[in-house]
Amino acid sequence: IQISKDDELFHIQEEEESLRTAMMESMNACKVAESDLILKEKEDARQLREAIQISKDDELFHIQEEEESLRTAMMESMNACKVSENKKKVEDNEFLMILALSQNDTVMYED
């Protein structure tokens, strides 16, 4: 009877040790999974920040492109105005010259 009890106790202790080992392995697997999850969350956050930065950079690039386009249009408009002003000045000068010449002609013919 004692041998049977000792044998049963031995098997119980063996099973207890097996359960303890399985529990430790399970806890270690949980810690590894938790660490992996934390690393994945950090990587996801990094990728999200990177995507947001790329989006901001892209938006800034388009704003700068539009700003440059507006600046170019403004310069072209200013140049067109200057050309128009110069053309008017030339036309005014031509008119004054024609007027002066016609007055000179009138004066010449009066003599």
Side-chain angles (χ1 to χ4, degrees):
I1 294 177
Q2 186 60 36
I3 293 174
S4 175
K5 285 185 178 181
D6 288 345
D7 195 37
E8 189 178 331
L9 181 60
F10 175 76
H11 287 299
I12 289 172
Q13 288 172 335
E14 233 181 16
E15 189 175 327
E16 185 180 305
E17 186 59 32
S18 175
L19 289 171
R20 194 175 284 122
T21 301
M23 187 176 75
M24 291 299 289
E25 288 173 353
S26 175
M27 286 175 62
N28 286 338
C30 282
K31 286 186 188 260
V32 167
E34 184 180 10
S35 293
D36 288 348
L37 183 60
I38 290 170
L39 287 174
K40 181 166 180 358
E41 286 174 348
K42 285 181 180 178
E43 177 62 17
D44 288 348
R46 184 194 66 75
Q47 287 178 351
L48 180 60
R49 284 191 306 275
E50 189 176 286
I52 289 170
Q53 186 61 46
I54 288 171
S55 176
K56 285 181 180 177
D57 290 347
D58 191 42
E59 186 176 339
L60 179 61
F61 174 76
H62 288 300
I63 289 171
Q64 288 171 335
E65 242 182 3
E66 186 174 332
E67 186 180 74
E68 184 61 29
S69 175
L70 290 171
R71 191 176 291 120
T72 301
M74 186 177 72
M75 292 300 291
E76 289 173 353
S77 176
M78 287 173 61
N79 287 339
C81 284
K82 290 209 182 274
V83 166
S84 178
E85 286 174 9
N86 289 338
K87 187 175 179 183
K88 180 159 180 10
K89 284 179 185 176
V90 167
E91 288 173 353
D92 288 348
N93 285 340
E94 287 175 348
F95 175 74
L96 290 175
M97 284 175 51
I98 291 171
L99 185 61
L101 286 173
S102 70
Q103 286 178 352
N104 282 341
D105 282 348
T106 307
V107 171
M108 291 171 95
Y109 288 116
E110 286 180 1
D111 287 339

